[in-house]
Structure formats: C-alpha cells, structure tokens
Amino acid sequence: MANFFQDNPDLQFYFDKGVDWETLVRLTEGDLKAPGAHASVAEAVEFYREIATMVGQFAAEEIAPRAVEIDQKGVVLKNGEGVLPEGMQHIFDRIKELELHAMCLPRDLGGMWAPLLVNWLCGEMIGRADVSVLAHHGFHGGIALAMLVFSLEEGTTEWDPKKLTLSRTRWAEQIKEIGRGEAWGSMDITEPDAGSDMARLKAVGEQDADGNWFVTGQKIFITSGHGKYHFVIARTEKVKNPDDPMSGLQGLSMFLVKAYEDLPDGTRKRIVTLDRIEEKLGHSGSATAALSFDRAPAELVGKRGEGFKYMLTLMNNARIGVGFECIGLCEAAYRVAKAYASERRSMGKTIDQHELIAEMLEDMEVTLIGMRALAVESCFAEEMFRKQKLMGDERSAKRWAKIARRLTPLLKYLAAEAAVDFSRKCLQIHGGNGYMCEYPAEKLLRDALVMPIYEGTSQIQALMAMKDTLVGIIKDPQSFVRRQAQSRWRVVAKNGLDRRVTKLQIQSMNVQQFLLARTAGDKAKSLRDKPISEWGTEFTKNWDPKRDFAYAMLHSERLIRLLINESIAEILLAQAKRWPERRDYLERFLDRAEVQSRHLADEITTSGTRFLERLAERKGGETSAKAS
Ligand SMILES: Cc1cc2nc3c(=O)[nH]c(=O)nc-3n(C[C@H](O)[C@H](O)[C@H](O)COP(=O)(O)OP(=O)(O)OC[C@H]3O[C@@H](n4cnc5c(N)ncnc54)[C@H](O)[C@@H]3O)c2cc1C
C-alpha cells in the first residue's frame, strides 16, 4: 500500500529522533499531568507516529489519485456559493471522518491536542499529494486555532496553567464546529489596492450608538473565502500622518465576521456576498474568493487599532505552514523527476547518469533535507514560544519567539523559491513530455508559482529578514561583537565540518557588518546639508527607510540567501554531531553553500552603488518633471 510517510526516511527521522519530543511533549501535556494526557512521552510519540502513518496512507491513496480531477474541475461559483469538485468533496468528507481538523485543538474543545509540529509534518504529506487540498485543509484547524489564540491574547479565554484546562472560551462553539468539520474560515486582508502594503487598506469597521460593529468593504484573493468565519482587517481610525507610508497600519482593527447564517430548513442566509471565485493558473482545489461586505455585523477582536498586532500574531504560524506546503510540493517534484530520469534514455544511458541532470537531482535532494531541517526547527521554536507563553514562562517564551521570528522568513523564502525551482527542474528533466498535461510536471509548476506570492511575497520576507538582522545588531551591538569573536576563535580551534560551518557564519557576519557600515555611511551623507548641531539627533532618530536603507534593501534577497545557508548549516551540524549518519547531508550541503555564499557576499559588497545612483537620478527626474 502506498504511504507518503513510510516511503520517506527523512520524515521518519523527525519522529524517531530528530525532534526533542521529551521537551515538547512534557510542555504540551503539563509534564504528563494534564487531563487526558498520554501516560509517557514514548506513548505520545507513538500516537503521533500512528497519525502520520494514517495521513501518509490517506495522502497517497485517496488524495494523490484525485489531484488531476481536482485540478481540471476546480471550485466553482453556483448560486452564490462555492462548490467543491467531487474528488475534493470526497477528500473533505474523509478528513472529517478521520477527525483531522481537530488534531491540534485542546481536548476541552473536542481536539486531540497534538503538537503543531505533527500537524505540519502531516501537512507536508498532504501537500505532496496536492497543495490545494492542504491549503483548504489549513483554513479549518488553522482558523479554529486563530480563534483560540486571539481570545487568549485579548483575555476572553480563561486558561488554568496549573490544571491545563480551559474554563471559558470566546468562540468555543465555533471552534468545536470547525473541529467537527462543519465549517471553516479565512483570513481576509488583501484588497484591490492593498496587498503587501497593508497601510493602504480601505475596508472600514464602524460602530453604531449601541456599540455594535459593522464591516464594509471589498476583499480579494481570499483563500477558502467561501467559508463561514472570516477574520477581516478593516480601518477604524483615520490615518494620522498621510506623509508616512506606514502610518496607516496603526488604524486597523481585526474583526470576526460570520458570512452566512445556517437556517433551520437547511438553507443559508448570506450576509457577506461571494462575488467571484477566481480562475487561476493552478491550486484549483483551493478557492480564491472576492468578497463584498456591506455593513456586515462583526465582532471586534481585542481593542480597536490592534488589527496589525493580531495579524502579526498569526503570521509566523501561517508562513511555517506554507513552508511545509512547499516542501510537500518539492518532495513530489523531486520524486517525479527522479523516477522519470531513471527510465528515460539518451545517448547510451539513462538521463540521470548525465552529469547535468545528476547534479540537478542531487541538488534537489540536499535542498529538501536542509529545507525540512529548517522547517522543523522553525516550527519547534514557534510552538515552544506559544506554549511557554501559555504556561506563563515569559522569559523562555521570549527567547523562543526570537528564534521563530528569525527563522520563519528564511523558511518561507527558501521553500517558496525552491517550489518554483524544483518544479521547473522537474519539467526540464521531462523534456517535451514535461510540457504536456499528460505528465504531472506542468501541474506542479503551475501550483508552485503562487508560493513566492501569497502569505507575504519573497521580497517582503527578504526585507523583513534584512530589517530584523540589521536592527537586531543596532539594538545589541555587544552580542554581535561577541558572536564575531567566538566565531573567530572557533575557526582556529575547530576543524572539519565545524570549521567549515564557522567560516560560513563569519562570512555572513562580515556581510552584515558591511551592510550596517554602508547604511550608517549613507545616513551620514544625508546629514551633509544639515547644521552640525542637528547631526546627533538626526543620526539617532529620523531614519528614512527608503533613503537610509536603500543599499541594504537592494541586497536583501542576497542577504536572506546567505542567512539561509548559515542557518541550515548550523542545524545540520547540530544533527551531524548527534547522529553520524547525517554528516553526509551536511557535507553535501556545505559543498554547495560555501560557493553560493562566497558569490553572494561578493555581489553584496561590490555591486549596486551605480545602480542606486541611476535610480536616484531617475526619481529626481520624475520629481522635477512633476514639479514643472
Ligand atoms: C492564490 C492566492 C491566494 C491568496 N490568499 C490570500 C488570503 O487568504 N488572504 C489574503 O488576505 N490575501 C491572500 N492573497 C493575497 C496575497 O497575500 C497578495 O497577493 C500578496 O500579499 C501580494 O500582494 P499584491 O498581490 O497586492 O502584490 P503587490 O503588493 O502589489 O506586489 C507586487 C510585487 O511588488 C513587490 N513589492 C511590493 N512592495 C515591495 C517593496 N517594498 N520592496 C520590494 N518589492 C515589493 C512584491 O514582492 C511583488 O513582487 C492570495 C493571493 C493569491 C495569488
């Protein structure tokens, strides 16, 4: 019987030993004292393994065989409602039977209370079968968890960290309803004029004299937007400073809007209009909806003006989910390409024996290993952060939050770009056949192309990583200097793989230092026209990101690739030290990463100045043309 878990030794490695289950299970289960807790860590991990084995079989035998039908038929709009294709409906009926939507929900709310990491490792297998199924699946349990996390944040859920029980939960009924597979939700942020730039959002939230809230506006590109529960971001406060492009973020609030009422006769009364289900290049089982809200009754989440904060709360988790989704797609592309290349013959041998193709395949294999290691580490950190916070250990939570925040954009960037790269290579390896719909390669490429766009584009991930890295050094220069000194010492003291990883770290830190020095230099240049008496304030305050960080912004995609190489090398080194069978992966990863990082460092430190001068001239020209 086909099984996407049992045929994947690297996935199994994480269930066998590659995760610190002892820590995660004890934290999740209140040191095994929580009501309904597993009797031991081993028992819990065995249970997770059983779930993974079941999902692996379900993905291979029930989802993958329906992927072509789902791709061809897609979700369609009929009488104002989104209708799933038959195969997709079958899959979701089965997910309901298997109770997978409730995998991570608390037992008090009808769930299994399994770690998020288990959910996403299973998600990878669903993504391998069909990413659009995973996307829609994610908007069930994911939205139920969002309800729980938001209500914990705003204090409307009462949680006892000693007894590990919930005594009161805002939206408890809705969470249970979703857990049972009877509803799902969506996250409605994007509008026609506002995607990456959330400060430009126009939908409004208004309150009447009795204190009731209503949302009015248009939202587009909403995944699973044909569902019942919508977290909607809308403007409740006026933009304070129209000249500041970020000012608009402060006036946003988060709402929960119910899109329809279920009537006793089994019909629905729609409150929010489903305008369109988009026709798109791929991802056909995942509905992408356009919606109109016309004074739709809404529940405010938290306080007014905190919408952006609530969105950030969920961002890491959602991006980690997309990371695993991309890994699933990459796994599929790698396997399809490898199988084809081992059969197709050219010039006296199978094409996997030709150097160029063999290198592509090896590159894919090593990237997959590194990417999964990064994904597991990111997810573990995010989960530790959430659960330590729940247990009231703020200090530990803060430490894990920092790691999760550092790793998440790296994962989202790498996995999304790899999804496109893998599926493009997969198609290329198939030659002319790859371009034909009869083979799976073209669908993988169509499905992959959205990954670097949704849940924050690749450019936005790169900018975030750059900003966090440089601002982190500015805020705490001592620890940066300490890390530099430690690395310089380690590079002399250590040898072998340790030394090679340390060299990558040094290279990355040198580049970070270069970018900081360059940024400070550009800022200093901008002060030339100001009186010296103002230099102190101007240098420490009044940073204009567009002007002062221009050089770092230009190189942020190169910087994020350097940071990715450094982080994966560190994680694989830690694995290799504990499990010698992982050494080979690290060696092969380093063989490639060292060359790439050298090239990236060279590009960052030697190119871009003249381009930025040309860009500034062009902008200057545009401004004076406008003025005249
Ligand atoms: C299939 C699909 C599903 C989606 N699901 C959802 C959903 O569930 N909920 C939701 O709210 N939204 C969803 N979206 C919307 C998605 O999040 C946005 O498309 C995305 O954030 C990009 O916004 P945009 O399309 O307006 O592009 P823009 O923001 O206009 O960006 C266009 C290009 O400019 C680049 N760019 C923008 N600003 C900068 C900058 N400062 N520096 C460098 N480059 C920049 C971007 O990287 C991109 O390459 C979905 C989109 C798709 C395609």
Side-chain angles (χ1 to χ4, degrees):
M1 257 189 265
N3 190 311
F4 286 174
F5 180 61
Q6 286 170 338
D7 73 1
N8 189 330
D10 195 48
L11 255 182
Q12 289 175 49
F13 162 77
Y14 290 103
F15 283 84
D16 291 344
K17 50 189 170 184
V19 169
D20 180 0
W21 291 113
E22 185 72 28
T23 303
L24 187 55
V25 171
R26 285 193 180 277
L27 182 62
T28 304
E29 299 286 17
D31 210 14
L32 306 174
K33 292 185 192 93
H38 297 279
S40 66
V41 173
E43 186 194 284
V45 179
E46 192 44 43
F47 175 62
Y48 307 153
R49 229 177 195 289
E50 278 168 20
I51 299 178
T53 310
M54 177 185 79
V55 173
Q57 187 180 333
F58 173 58
E61 300 214 323
E62 299 194 53
I63 304 179
R66 290 177 169 83
V68 170
E69 185 240 326
I70 291 171
D71 181 48
Q72 286 168 353
K73 294 190 179 153
V75 183
V76 289
L77 188 67
K78 264 191 200 155
N79 304 325
E81 298 292 344
V83 179
L84 301 184
E86 206 179 300
M88 189 84 168
Q89 191 56 57
H90 167 86
I91 289 165
F92 278 84
D93 290 344
R94 289 282 293 133
I95 290 181
K96 202 166 151 178
E97 278 169 28
L98 299 172
E99 299 178 7
L100 292 178
H101 293 311
M103 194 192 291
C104 300
L105 297 180
R107 294 186 182 101
D108 293 347
L109 296 171
M112 298 180 208
W113 198 227
L116 268 176
L117 182 56
V118 176
N119 178 59
W120 286 127
L121 287 167
C122 289
E124 181 200 314
M125 295 186 273
I126 299 178
R128 178 176 152 193
D130 187 284
V131 277
S132 70
V133 171
L134 177 62
H136 186 47
H137 175 55
F139 281 92
H140 289 71
I143 291 294
L145 276 179
M147 288 175 174
L148 183 63
V149 172
F150 286 167
S151 66
L152 281 163
E153 290 274 321
E154 63 174 15
T156 52
T157 282
E158 271 167 27
W159 163 254
D160 184 335
K162 290 211 176 78
K163 294 191 192 142
L164 287 115
T165 50
L166 297 161
S167 51
R168 183 174 63 93
T169 308
R170 186 183 184 186
W171 303 308
E173 289 316 308
Q174 291 86 336
I175 293 172
K176 288 184 200 164
E177 184 186 0
I178 295 177
R180 291 192 301 268
E182 290 163 8
W184 67 86
S186 57
M187 188 53 86
D188 305 9
I189 303 167
T190 307
E191 295 177 8
D193 290 325
S196 310
D197 189 358
M198 282 181 54
R200 287 164 55 89
L201 291 176
K202 289 197 188 112
V204 289
E206 293 160 306
Q207 204 172 18
D208 68 11
D210 300 324
N212 303 307
W213 283 97
F214 300 89
V215 166
T216 301
Q218 260 192 315
K219 294 285 174 183
I220 59 164
F221 301 164
I222 305 306
T223 303
S224 301
H226 53 324
K228 189 168 183 182
Y229 297 109
H230 295 242
F231 279 113
V232 184
I233 298 216
R235 184 164 301 290
T236 50
E237 326 299 318
K238 283 210 173 87
V239 177
K240 280 192 188 137
N241 178 6
D243 294 335
D244 174 1
M246 306 312 275
S247 175
L249 293 178
Q250 286 153 17
L252 301 172
S253 299
M254 176 74 81
F255 295 95
L256 181 63
V257 176
K258 192 154 74 165
Y260 55 82
E261 290 282 358
D262 292 305
L263 300 177
D265 65 359
T267 58
R268 273 177 193 177
K269 181 179 159 227
R270 271 226 159 246
I271 301 160
V272 176
T273 312
L274 190 54
D275 297 325
R276 273 191 323 276
I277 303 264
E278 304 289 353
E279 281 186 32
K280 52 193 194 298
L281 197 56
H283 250 261
S284 309
S286 157
T288 306
L291 301 148
S292 294
F293 298 76
D294 183 8
R295 282 189 68 76
E299 292 179 71
L300 179 68
V301 179
K303 297 197 188 86
R304 55 192 292 169
E306 288 185 338
F308 188 60
K309 183 187 108 177
Y310 278 93
M311 200 215 67
L312 292 181
T313 308
L314 283 195
M315 211 173 64
N316 261 1
N317 189 36
R319 289 180 178 172
I320 289 167
V322 176
F324 279 100
E325 179 183 12
C326 295
I327 294 173
L329 191 147
C330 288
E331 184 74 50
Y334 169 61
R335 284 173 186 259
V336 167
K338 196 170 171 222
Y340 185 86
S342 69
E343 301 228 317
R344 176 78 178 175
R345 296 185 70 81
S346 112
M347 299 173 202
K349 48 189 173 185
T350 53
I351 58 171
D352 61 357
Q353 300 301 313
H354 292 296
E355 290 76 3
L356 285 168
I357 305 293
E359 192 193 34
M360 277 188 212
L361 289 169
E362 169 159 318
D363 206 41
M364 288 158 101
E365 185 197 0
V366 176
T367 304
L368 251 175
I369 300 287
M371 208 154 46
R372 192 175 287 114
L374 180 64
V376 169
E377 194 82 0
S378 313
C379 189
F380 187 85
E382 175 69 14
E383 184 148 28
M384 290 298 290
F385 152 58
R386 293 258 158 238
K387 291 187 171 162
Q388 294 285 19
K389 197 168 170 204
L390 206 56
M391 299 306 285
D393 187 345
E394 289 293 333
R395 216 164 138 235
S396 183
K398 221 169 152 187
R399 194 170 60 83
W400 284 109
K402 216 169 145 189
I403 300 174
R405 187 175 163 122
R406 179 170 64 82
L407 296 182
T408 306
L410 309 190
L411 170 66
K412 165 69 173 63
Y413 181 93
L414 170 67
E417 294 295 321
V420 178
D421 183 47
F422 272 51
S423 48
R424 155 95 170 74
K425 281 182 178 143
C426 174
L427 193 147
Q428 188 68 18
I429 286 171
H430 280 70
N433 282 335
Y435 200 64
M436 304 301 146
C437 296
E438 194 189 333
Y439 286 81
E442 60 84 35
K443 173 184 181 290
L444 289 171
L445 182 56
R446 285 188 288 109
D447 282 348
L449 284 167
V450 76
M451 303 299 179
I453 296 173
Y454 71 12
E455 210 47 70
T457 66
S458 286
Q459 288 68 42
I460 297 299
Q461 306 307 310
L463 289 171
M464 249 186 83
M466 180 277 289
K467 193 186 118 231
D468 275 6
T469 306
L470 298 193
V471 172
I473 303 171
I474 294 170
K475 278 190 182 156
D476 185 7
Q478 284 91 345
S479 69
F480 181 72
V481 172
R482 204 167 40 242
R483 270 203 314 128
Q484 269 186 324
Q486 282 166 351
S487 301
R488 292 203 176 110
W489 174 81
R490 270 210 318 274
V491 86
V492 181
K494 302 279 181 182
N495 47 35
L497 292 173
D498 230 324
R499 187 180 159 99
R500 289 175 68 185
V501 173
T502 309
K503 277 187 164 174
L504 266 189
Q505 292 168 323
I506 292 176
Q507 189 170 48
S508 164
M509 282 189 277
N510 287 346
V511 167
Q512 292 166 40
Q513 192 172 355
F514 172 86
L515 283 175
L516 260 186
R518 175 67 203 240
T519 304
D522 288 348
K523 174 74 178 161
K525 269 190 221 154
S526 75
L527 301 182
R528 275 190 210 139
D529 302 333
K530 307 244 176 223
I532 293 181
S533 59
E534 287 177 18
W535 283 17
T537 356
E538 283 288 326
F539 200 83
T540 48
K541 293 188 185 147
N542 299 339
W543 279 79
D544 174 352
K546 282 213 179 102
R547 181 196 60 207
D548 302 323
F549 281 95
Y551 192 85
M553 288 202 281
L554 174 67
H555 286 297
S556 52
E557 281 206 60
R558 297 184 181 101
L559 177 67
I560 198 171
R561 286 174 188 270
L562 264 176
L563 298 172
I564 288 165
N565 282 346
E566 181 191 4
S567 295
I568 292 182
E570 286 167 359
I571 299 166
L572 291 182
L573 177 66
Q575 289 184 355
K577 283 182 176 172
R578 290 192 66 189
W579 304 290
E581 72 270 22
R582 305 289 289 182
R583 276 182 69 93
D584 174 56
Y585 292 135
L586 173 61
E587 262 174 29
R588 287 197 275 152
F589 180 80
L590 285 172
D591 285 348
R592 203 193 39 174
E594 285 165 344
V595 181
Q596 273 178 358
S597 289
R598 262 202 308 276
H599 178 66
L600 290 164
D602 193 25
E603 275 189 299
I604 293 174
T605 50
T606 62
S607 75
T609 303
R610 278 197 296 279
F611 168 74
L612 285 174
E613 283 166 4
R614 284 197 298 278
L615 187 65
E617 271 168 31
R618 247 186 277 160
K619 275 188 195 154
E622 274 171 27
T623 318
S624 50
K626 266 187 203 153
S628 63

